[in-house]
């Protein structure tokens, strides 16, 4: 696990974008595992900028997203498909046919999830998986629980996650209660993982993930078992690691 300790959100975003751009330069037809949330917004902004400057092309890039809310249509402004379109896909030359986000309106979730995993497996897994982290240590929507779930699956969102995400909706009641999330099999199968976090409210989750016991009670702790993880955090998200004497 390599840790980049950056001064603030902007520096974290730039570093994450550099790592993603390097992956695309190295492998123009790479399969990117993409994430949503406020954490990666800045990195996507840098990638769009660099694309507009002609420094980078997504022409042959393929992508699979981590998760989607159950019940939200792709054009709902809080759906993760909408997020990806408005933060990245609509502004670069990626082929829309090469982008995948779980279908929040699927009528047969089990078949959909099986197909999602089969697709990722058939591609030889993701080349670079971008991750944010929940305050409770969730990655994708793999919430704390009694076991790590391997497959893409339907998740009941933790009350704390509903609270955290309520800021994006008109009211807490509007936050979907379920999501479809890539499981740990697809995440751990990725050749490289890029975990990003910013802000003091992520400091416990980052400390638990890097130094804590590997346990489904802190889902991101499983990343300690992955051979190629890059963690990019700002000072605030690093603060609990610093207090524990961790050097980076
Ligand atoms: C959301 C997403 C995660 C994201 C996390 C943190 O619920 N499912 O993929 O990493 O919570 O979000 P944010 O970056 O907005 O803090």
């Amino acid at each position: 696990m390599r840790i980049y300790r950056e001064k603030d959100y902007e520096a974290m975003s730039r570093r994450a974008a550099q790592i993603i751009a390097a992956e695309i330069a190295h492998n123009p037809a790479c399969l990117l595992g993409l994430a949503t949330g406020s954490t990666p917004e800045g990195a996507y902004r840098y990638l769009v900028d660099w694309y507009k400057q002609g420094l980078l092309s997504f022409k042959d890039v393929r992508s699979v997203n981590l998760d989607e809310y159950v019940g939200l249509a792709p054009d709902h402004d809080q759906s993760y498909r909408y997020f990806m379109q408005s933060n990245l896909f609509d502004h670069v030359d990626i082929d829309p046919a090469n982008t995948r986000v779980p279908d929040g309106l699927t009528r047969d979730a089990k078949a959909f999830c099986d197909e999602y995993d089969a697709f990722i497996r058939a591609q030889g897994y993701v080349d670079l998986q971008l991750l944010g982290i929940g305050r409770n240590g969730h990655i994708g929507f793999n919430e704390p629980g009694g076991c790590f779930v391997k497959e893409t699956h339907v998740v009941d969102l933790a009350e704390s996650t509903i609270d955290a995400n309520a800021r994006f909706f008109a009211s807490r009641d509007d936050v979907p209660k379920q999501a479809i999330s890539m499981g740990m099999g697809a995440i751990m199968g990725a050749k490289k993982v890029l975990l990003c976090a910013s802000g003091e409210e992520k400091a416990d989750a980052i400390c638990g993930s890097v130094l804590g016991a590997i346990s489904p009670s802190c889902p991101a702790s499983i990343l300690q078992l992955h051979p190629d993880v890059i963690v990019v955090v700002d000072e605030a998200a690093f603060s609990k690691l610093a207090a524990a004497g961790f050097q980076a």
Side-chain angles (χ1 to χ4, degrees):
M1 196 178 267
R2 251 174 306 159
I3 303 196
Y4 288 96
R5 177 180 181 178
E6 304 291 347
K7 112 169 148 324
D8 54 17
Y9 177 79
E10 206 52 36
M12 177 209 72
S13 299
R14 189 178 169 84
R15 174 75 70 189
Q18 283 169 340
I19 293 165
I20 298 166
E23 181 67 33
I24 297 171
H26 169 73
N27 177 7
C30 60
L31 180 62
L32 295 179
L34 296 177
T36 54
S38 31
T39 307
E41 275 177 2
Y44 292 149
R45 200 175 357 96
Y46 275 104
L47 292 174
V48 169
D49 264 15
W50 297 339
Y51 164 72
K52 288 187 172 158
Q53 291 173 43
L55 301 172
L56 172 74
S57 170
F58 290 76
K59 190 167 63 69
D60 298 317
V61 168
R62 298 158 306 128
S63 71
V64 279
N65 259 77
L66 278 169
D67 47 12
E68 179 60 284
Y69 287 116
V70 168
L72 296 196
D75 61 354
H76 187 290
D77 67 2
Q78 290 308 323
S79 77
Y80 286 167
R81 164 56 78 175
Y82 187 93
F83 175 101
M84 290 310 304
Q85 293 300 138
S86 49
N87 283 279
L88 183 65
F89 299 155
D90 286 347
H91 310 291
V92 297
D93 59 344
I94 198 164
D95 179 348
N98 285 340
T99 68
R100 283 184 159 72
V101 179
D103 177 5
L105 297 182
T106 181
R107 286 164 184 273
D108 185 345
K110 172 82 178 89
F112 179 86
C113 292
D114 289 351
E115 191 277 329
Y116 210 70
D117 282 334
F119 171 80
I120 293 168
R121 259 196 319 273
Q123 307 309 305
Y125 289 89
V126 162
D127 291 298
L128 174 65
Q129 177 65 56
L130 174 62
L131 296 174
I133 188 167
R135 296 169 204 195
N136 62 5
H138 75 234
I139 47 178
F141 268 130
N142 291 277
E143 297 282 27
C147 63
F148 294 114
V149 180
K150 184 177 174 194
E151 293 82 16
T152 296
H153 57 293
V154 175
V155 187
D156 292 328
L157 299 182
E159 290 297 320
S160 62
T161 299
I162 294 172
D163 288 341
N165 290 358
R167 69 189 193 279
F168 299 115
F169 291 83
S171 79
R172 190 184 188 281
D173 288 345
D174 292 330
V175 185
K177 306 290 178 282
Q178 289 188 313
I180 294 177
S181 180
M182 219 186 247
M184 293 303 194
I187 293 171
M188 292 297 282
K191 296 178 186 80
K192 188 178 291 186
V193 174
L194 171 58
L195 172 66
C196 298
S198 161
E200 211 180 329
E201 69 275 14
K202 300 292 174 67
D204 281 324
I206 286 294
C207 189
S209 306
V210 173
L211 289 183
I214 299 169
S215 155
S217 62
C218 178
S221 63
I222 198 173
L223 298 175
Q224 292 176 38
L225 299 174
H226 191 285
D228 194 357
V229 177
I230 304 172
V231 180
V232 183
V233 286
D234 65 7
E235 280 298 338
F238 188 80
S239 58
K240 289 281 164 65
L241 280 176
F246 196 88
Q247 306 282 330

